[in-house]
Amino acid sequence: MTDGFRVGLGFDFHPFGQDRRLMLGGVRIPHPLGLRGHSDADALLHAVIDALLGAAGLRDIGTWFPDTDPAYRDSSSRVLLEKAYEQVRDRGFAVVNLDITVLAEAPRIQPHVGAMKANLARLLSVETGRIGLKATTMEGCGPIGRGEGIAVQAVVLLVRSKREA
Ligand code: MG
């Protein structure tokens, strides 16, 4: 029975850039700068995607959604998460819980946690009580502390809900 559980770790970082909307956890956050990237650069959803794929032994986000593919240019990371979780579910796994830490000097994440959790709950078909989401600053140190970008860590636990196809 212990073979039925899989843990996965995800990490992502995107630098801030001009003329970009800031998307985090599928939420548009009002901020003078957005994150630069090929897709909408939603580092939170990207970290969750990599945690899911890692737990299921399915390589990583860059393998499934290459940044050389014009199909994913400016694409919504919500769509990428849906596609990634579809692959995970096809292999018989479902999310037990996930826990996320956002590393950002600014903006404040707390006012948006409820909306982010609601997005994740809907996309992953889990209740919000199974989602941990918190933020910390880097106390002014390093590139994140200087406000050059945002990093996100995510850990997810999967359980095998049916036999592997
Ligand atoms: Mg990314």
Side-chain angles (χ1 to χ4, degrees), residues 45-117:
L45 295 189
H46 292 184
V48 170
I49 290 169
D50 260 353
L52 288 166
L53 292 173
L58 291 173
R59 308 281 300 269
D60 63 10
I61 187 171
T63 306
W64 287 93
F65 313 109
D67 62 9
T68 50
D69 188 338
Y72 302 116
R73 185 171 176 78
D74 295 325
S75 67
S76 164
S77 296
R78 279 173 295 195
V79 175
L80 306 187
L81 178 54
E82 277 175 335
K83 287 178 187 243
Y85 194 38
E86 197 178 300
Q87 293 297 326
V88 169
R89 276 188 303 212
D90 281 353
R91 283 152 182 86
F93 293 106
V95 168
V96 177
N97 75 304
L98 65 157
D99 194 19
I100 301 159
T101 301
V102 178
L103 292 79
E105 216 67 14
R108 287 195 67 241
I109 303 301
Q110 191 56 41
H112 310 286
V113 162
M116 293 177 185
K117 278 192 184 185

Side-chain angles (χ1 to χ4, degrees), residues 25-27 78 81-82 85 89 114-128 131:
V27 176
R78 279 173 295 195
L81 178 54
E82 277 175 335
Y85 194 38
R89 276 188 303 212
M116 293 177 185
K117 278 192 184 185
N119 280 339
L120 288 163
R122 191 179 63 253
L123 291 163
L124 299 173
S125 306
V126 293
E127 55 267 47
T128 53
I131 303 169

Side-chain angles (χ1 to χ4, degrees), residues 12-14 39 41-43 46 61:
D12 196 25
F13 171 86
H14 282 268
S39 64
D42 189 326
H46 292 184
I61 187 171

Side-chain angles (χ1 to χ4, degrees), residues 5-43:
F5 292 100
R6 300 281 190 88
V7 67
L9 180 67
F11 176 83
D12 196 25
F13 171 86
H14 282 268
F16 280 118
Q18 303 283 346
D19 302 320
R20 296 279 300 183
R21 295 185 308 163
L22 178 57
M23 296 296 298
L24 216 51
V27 176
R28 163 102 169 86
I29 297 180
H31 195 59
L33 299 169
L35 295 175
R36 281 193 281 123
H38 184 67
S39 64
D40 64 5
D42 189 326

